[in-house]
Amino acid sequence: MPCPSRSDELFFFVNGRKVIERNADPEVTLLTFLRKNLGLTGTKYACGRGGCGACTVMVSKCDPISKKIRHFSITACLVPICSLYGAAVTTVEGVGSIKTKLHPVQERIAKSHGTQCGFCTPGMVMSMYTLLRNHPQPSEEQLMEALGGNLCRCTGYRPILESGRTFCVESNGCQQKGTGNCCLDQGENDSFSHGGNSDISTELFTKDEFQPLDPTQELIFPPELSRMAENPEKRTLNFHGERVTWISPGTLKDLLELKVKHPEAPLILGNTSLGPAMKSRGHLHPILLSPARISELNTVSKTSEGLTIGAGCSLAQVKDILAERVSELPEEKARTYRALLKHLKSLAGQQIRNMASLGGHIISRHFYSDLNPILAAGNATLNLISEAGTRQIPLNEHFLAGLASADLKPEEILESVYIPHSQKWEFVSAFRQAQCQQNALADVNAGMRVLLKEGTDAIEDLSIAYGGVGTATVSARKSCQQLLGRHWNELMLDEACRLLLDEVSLPGSAPGGRVEFKRTLVISFFFKFYLEVLQELKKLAKLFSAPDCLHYPEISDQFLSALEDFPVTVPQGVQKYQSVDSRQPLQDPVGRPIMHVSGLKHATGEAIFCDDIPRVDNELYMVLVTSTRAHAKIISIDLSEALELPGVVDVITAKDIPGTNGAEDDKLLAIDEVLCVGQIICAVVAETNVQAKRATEKIKITYEDLEPVIFTIEEAIKHNSFLCPEKKLEQGNIEEAFEKVDQIVEGEVHAGGQEHFYMETQRVLIIPKTEDKELDIYVSTQDPAHVQKTVSSTLNIPINRITCHVKRVGGGFGGKVGRPAVFGAIAAVGAIKTGRPIRLVLDREDDMLITGGRHPLFGKYKVGFMNNGRIKALDIECFINGGCTLDDSEQVIEFLVLKLENAYKIRNLRFRGRACMTNLPSNTAFRGFGFPQGTLVTESCITAVAAKCGLLPEKIREKNMYKTVDKTIYKQAFNPETLIRCWNECLDKSAFHSRRIQVEEFNKKNYWKKKGIAIIPMKFSVGFAATSYHQAAALVHIYTDGSVLVTHGGNELGQGIHTKMLQVASRELKIPMSYVHICETSTAMVPNTIATAASIGSDVNGRAVQNACQILLKRLEPIIKKNPDGTWEDWIEAAFEQRISLSATGYFRGYKAFIDWEKGEGDPFPYYVYGAACSEVEIDCLTGAHKKIRTDIVMDACCSLNPAIDIGQIEGSFIQGMGLYTTEELKYSPEGVLYSRGPDEYKIPTITDVPEEFNVSLLPSSQTPLTIYSSKGLGESGMFLGSSVFFAIADAVATARRERDIAEDFTAKSPATPERVRMACADRFTEMIPRDDPKTFKPWSIPIA
């Protein structure tokens, strides 16, 4: 079959409309096609690797065999358009629109407050929509499964689940409901301990107003595609791109012929393995063969011996096939299938399972494959086919290692996989441990099978395979051979562990690191298998009333819990807040749970983000080129090859900057020296994004390495490498106090950094105007005025020529305060030099590499205390890793030191802080600004004191807390009454004391599982420590039709600031919210604004909006007096006639705030937010996994402007904090290269990480006269409360260590990853593993804190 050079027509449907593409390029993904070619920007680009779900769409295909229509969700960023021949795609725009009709999914996610920044919302909507197309009344488990592949960084997931739950069949719900013991009953008759009769509400939305789901209203499957499925086309389709040809044969015969002709060409189905490899490693295959239309690869056949599954079946289909088979077979025959099912539930996310094929999964032979170890242990066979005929090969260790003799020949393809049934005395189990429970690659996984001689416990056959411990799946064949004939008892267990460690050996420098943890898991998993088999034998012995001579080893009751995995449960919970006063007018929205003003637009994809702005005429794309060395001199930059490439217009270097190139020690573009990997050196400007990216690979930079290269805090201290002077606060006489105490403890705390992982990466669009050097800048930032100033100084033009527009930001968390100015300035240089608009959108990998994040911290404490737990002296020294430039590090260390005391009154204190200069990308502002790291040191110190005194940590916390009106270490007076109320309320609401007893009972009965519980108080100071940063302005126009336009200096980041400003304007002008509109934040409307940060955006801008509205109302007063019964419209008309100005600037001069570091005193903060959180967890001591059982948060919000938004902020920041302290781990190579550059390697919390029960209460009846309507800013404070999970885990680990007689450890390390938890719960297995001398190998990664 000659390969014609002309492409076939590609056709598919999008939202019911036929799309014909005559020059389909196999390298173009569906995401690019939807956004660029069709202008459907509702589908978002966030990671490009299928790991976050922001680009989820639904694909519908007619099954050629069953003729049924299959709907499934996929991530559009991985799907090549050529694979969609004859498919129907539905995007968020096709589901519903605010212009026509909303779909119930869209309406409910918005009205349930399931959107904040809204960037992940279209993906969430599509995942739920697809679920409802398949199951109009899904179960809660199906809902959790459907959303498992979608990430959200803002909401904390609870409200998203809440909206989905409204479609679910009523599950049994809580067994205690109605008995008064259920958390959901408390809302009905609740009175907070203070104030008794305050009106407490638990409803954030009313279900009654939701429109019902009507499945008959959905888009129909295109009849043309149904007809096509009846009579499928058999001819081979060819699609020729610039570099790649896609060939899609219509018959198996044609495919086999093509495989002979192109033996090197890979088969491509889901593109979940090839796609990411092509993106991150630049793999290029000139020819791709797509077997998608070949029905023989999708057949399933059952026999009495086993099951054969076609290699083309998706993993989601495999899961359904196995589940069906398990339900039909007796238990003993289905053990291998059960083991596979267990892993299929947690393997990747739903979208990837829908795309990835069984054949692709097996043939890729990834070392982390979850299914290959089970298939290998379960004796699966691969059925191969080629033109020469068929043959079978075993899926064994030789195949998995890729040995030529045991592999496919180049012309063969995998047709199907045969998995035999298990037998009566055969037991099969599967194990895996990953950084988090779902959607994470396993650190280690295993498949294990044993066949015992009938009626005995002698091993007849044994097969064990591991993933994650080598370059491929590893089979422990030798160990298994040596154990044949042995009895299944303790002696065999010890021998097996020894043999396994010997055979499955990992070098200390193994890729992926975590070497000792992985070694431990190898034998911990075998121990779990040992127990599982014993348990099964017990059941069999009962069934067959086995002869008395068979005494299987007893499993102690304490060990039984080791057998159970943590179940995935749907979070439940109650949100409580104080209802508005019954006398408040109905149209006054303040204090009511109003939906986010853009909520519905988020849900329909009609909310426009920076990169959704349509392409401008002549627009160019910019891609950055960054340093690959940590500290080096730039010898030369050769641009010649790059400039010759098609489409490349220019390369921007430091020489092109007309004005200033950043600061002296913080250049926008490097000139002759680079200080870290990821520093920007130059930028390519080209006609398309793809052309610009290809050009960056052709730029040749030669370096000469410089000394010293510093990465860790330890090295920085040794080299005396600091960014700014030490910050110090002291009170009392610390030396004297240490001499008079009963005991002294010293300890260390290491807290890792954190990546912002805003869903929308950094992006900017610069449009140069034709005259006066004017520029329009559309940018995703928290500080447009800073972007404006930076661009002005870089281009050397006045600020008044530059206008920055911010419509909305897809998440910021501090990461979009300083950095966007850098990208804006570089892009502006490109725009001025080329005279054309420039669009710069960072890939997730580049964003994570370049931008820096939360400062890692190393803290040392020395604490002196009495035996009763009263702390008399505390000395803390903190070092933060600032990276290579100052950025915000000085302010971070100042805030960290100022906030270190948290809620405790200790008479003698010394706090010191230094910011270290290292050769890493500069770290920057991040929600909480030093508080979440610093206060971890203080709270760890409290835990250490409790351990030494033999008292409970909560007793030590209570004993040392502020009790009466007092002054802080920096002499600011405050009243701790609300703090104490939050603490007591939290103890009460969480039933802490009775649960503490239950936890202790549980721990006595279980050896391998331990529970922990912790309660943490918080005193969080809000605002910047400088008065000038608290100023704000607003501009309010009233138009002659009575409509009102509000502009203010705050930026909408998802925190609902625009919604709150509309509420303020509505109350002040006494008009309905629907009359008021906010368009965008623009530096032309409100100049000289301050960054929207430090939790006070709504506070200060609210005061400015209030001021403007009051000025206008004062002007209208005479008119209203004259015509008190007139309407708003009448008054406005009359005012215009009487020439009264209907436009006003509002201004707020700011809260007073200052600190004198010489004296160590001042009033640095306008006010405090108080709170407390109690969390309970359960850990698995054998694997290090943990489950969050329950969290209760009580937060003092005073009089919330909008309880729905405020509770959303608390929940979102808590979950983000929980991520910081448990799963989010940044890994750097010994050369300073960041490994964790995407959602595959960097794990933010997913939907399964939300505590099983999650309750949030806003403390009622509290007032603060300072702020607008007595409200408080709650953007950041919840972050630290996530540490209650960390301390609950630490509590469980401490219990395990006490039981095993291991010394107390006073080095706290955050995050509490499974690796750290497992290795801290030392036992006989951690004793067994070989340990390497660190001097003998180069580690894969280095700790930078």
Side-chain angles (χ1 to χ4, degrees), residues 832-1001:
I832 292 298
K833 190 177 178 197
T834 59
R836 293 169 66 176
I838 298 266
R839 190 181 295 252
L840 169 60
V841 176
L842 289 197
D843 272 356
R844 178 64 62 188
E845 293 91 331
D846 289 340
D847 192 300
M848 291 183 76
L849 178 71
I850 296 168
T851 58
R854 186 183 294 285
H855 292 73
L857 167 138
F858 164 59
K860 296 191 285 195
Y861 62 81
K862 177 180 176 187
V863 57
F865 52 96
M866 310 312 282
N867 290 334
N868 66 358
R870 160 69 70 200
I871 297 173
K872 294 290 188 184
L874 175 59
D875 187 358
I876 294 181
E877 189 170 15
C878 289
F879 298 91
I880 58 172
N881 194 328
C884 61
T885 63
L886 183 60
D887 200 296
D888 283 333
S889 296
E890 186 160 11
Q891 289 96 308
V892 169
I893 201 70
E894 286 180 4
F895 274 48
L896 191 147
V897 167
L898 286 168
K899 300 179 182 201
L900 262 176
E901 65 172 26
N902 194 14
Y904 307 110
K905 177 66 185 174
I906 296 160
R907 299 270 168 227
N908 304 287
L909 290 172
R910 179 164 59 210
F911 294 155
R912 287 167 294 171
R914 295 290 312 252
C916 301
M917 180 172 166
T918 59
N919 295 109
L920 292 173
S922 186
N923 284 311
T924 186
F926 199 135
R927 197 178 205 167
F929 212 71
F931 181 74
Q933 306 99 294
T935 315
L936 192 72
V937 182
T938 313
E939 293 297 340
S940 301
C941 165
I942 298 266
T943 317
V945 170
K948 273 290 193 195
C949 294
L951 295 167
L952 294 170
E954 55 273 18
K955 290 282 172 261
I956 307 293
R957 291 193 165 97
E958 233 159 43
K959 193 174 264 314
N960 292 288
M961 225 182 273
Y962 277 101
K963 300 287 192 307
T964 55
V965 175
D966 209 325
K967 282 186 173 174
T968 62
I969 182 170
Y970 42 87
K971 315 286 186 288
Q972 184 166 349
F974 84 107
N975 181 353
E977 184 206 342
T978 322
L979 168 68
I980 294 157
R981 274 184 60 204
C982 286
W983 172 260
N984 291 333
E985 204 64 69
C986 192
L987 284 170
D988 178 44
K989 287 233 166 319
S990 63
F992 182 86
H993 297 300
S994 59
R995 280 172 51 217
R996 168 65 87 189
I997 294 162
Q998 287 163 10
V999 163
E1000 283 165 7
E1001 283 306 305

Side-chain angles (χ1 to χ4, degrees), residues 1237-1249:
R1237 297 215 293 266
D1240 299 353
E1241 305 91 11
Y1242 185 77
K1243 291 293 161 197
I1244 71 169
T1246 66
I1247 210 146
T1248 47
D1249 290 307

Side-chain angles (χ1 to χ4, degrees), residues 44 133 325 1071 1193 1273:
K44 303 294 182 221
R133 287 300 298 264
R325 204 68 192 108
I1071 54 173
I1193 295 174

Side-chain angles (χ1 to χ4, degrees), residues 432-444 512 514 517 521 1183-1186 1188 1219-1227 1236 1239-1246 1249 1310-1317:
R432 81 188 297 271
Q433 182 53 47
Q435 189 82 342
C436 52
Q437 201 171 3
Q438 267 210 318
N439 204 6
L441 299 176
D443 288 320
V444 180
R514 303 181 181 150
F517 174 49
L521 286 178
T1183 62
H1186 73 270
K1188 300 159 197 83
L1220 164 68
Y1221 299 117
T1222 59
T1223 59
E1224 297 185 35
E1225 199 173 17
L1226 291 166
K1227 293 278 190 185
S1236 30
D1240 299 353
E1241 305 91 11
Y1242 185 77
K1243 291 293 161 197
I1244 71 169
T1246 66
D1249 290 307
S1310 165
T1313 57
E1315 173 187 15
R1316 289 195 172 129
V1317 172

Side-chain angles (χ1 to χ4, degrees), residues 1143-1162:
S1143 171
T1145 301
Y1147 191 66
F1148 175 56
R1149 291 196 61 193
Y1151 305 119
K1152 287 225 168 17
F1154 68 95
I1155 177 79
D1156 180 336
W1157 280 101
E1158 289 296 303
K1159 294 183 182 162
E1161 57 186 67

